[in-house]
Amino acid sequence: MKILTTIEELQEVRKEISSSVGFIPTMGALHDGHISLIKKARAENDIVIVSIFVNPTQFLPGEDLDKYPRRDEADKKICQMCKVDYLFMPKITTMYEKEEVLIKAPNRSYVLEGETRPGHFDGVLQVVLKLFNLVKPTNAYFGKKDAQQLSLIIQMVKNLFLDINIIACDIVRESDGLAMSSRNVYLTPEQRSEALKISKSLRKAGELVGKKQLNVETIKATMKEVMSGLDIEYIAVVNRNFEELTQVELSNTIILVVARFGNTRLLDNLWL
């Protein structure tokens, strides 16, 4: 595995690659969820490139940019064990100049995650587009846990005519059902135990749909009962375009949950 830190190094490497490239953009603090993306990319491509970059433009004032977990040495070892070919680890000054051409996310980026974090998805799309232009991947791999982000990246690729396949990958969970997240390290033992109510509520929602209960308000009410005692930021039932539904549409529905545990926000969802 070769570690690259500059634009010039990455561009030089990319010129020499004529076969398929699988790309996994990350913010580091790699866990089994990331590893599953890397393994899938390794199985489906000749060359695998991973980036680690904690992107400042997607953090709002007062968010956890400075506290975001950074484990560079451990991440390097994980990438090496997963047979990554190239690891791109740029500095902020490498990726951004003082004055930038900006990317504007569409209006639907201001619901759900974007409602409480206005401008967050502008920053996400900005850095992903930069990375896509540098890496020029054949396939790029993203987890379904960040469902709204995934949907907007798919739209960006379509709207800007990028020749990239976006591969959506299922959520990877701990053995007890908690969705893998770099922010799980912030949880106290008590909070972590309580956080299991999130995945339990989604399993219950899935059971209801399996029994042909498709009414959204009924499903939400049941989920709230399961998550009793939690600080629920939102429960949303939307279609793939993130439009609210009153009835579940099979093969076109995502149930999303965000709950807070102190200063930590946990996301989870169920695709139906």
Side-chain angles (χ1 to χ4, degrees), residues 57 62 70-71 99 117 142 226 266:
T57 64
R70 290 166 172 84
R71 300 196 291 268
E99 191 174 30
R117 307 178 72 193
F142 294 87
V226 175
L266 295 187

Side-chain angles (χ1 to χ4, degrees), residues 188-207:
T188 66
E190 293 78 13
Q191 288 173 334
R192 198 190 180 293
S193 178
E194 282 290 286
L196 296 179
K197 292 179 180 178
I198 299 174
S199 56
K200 287 178 182 175
S201 75
L202 289 167
R203 284 199 300 273
K204 185 64 177 177
E207 290 171 8

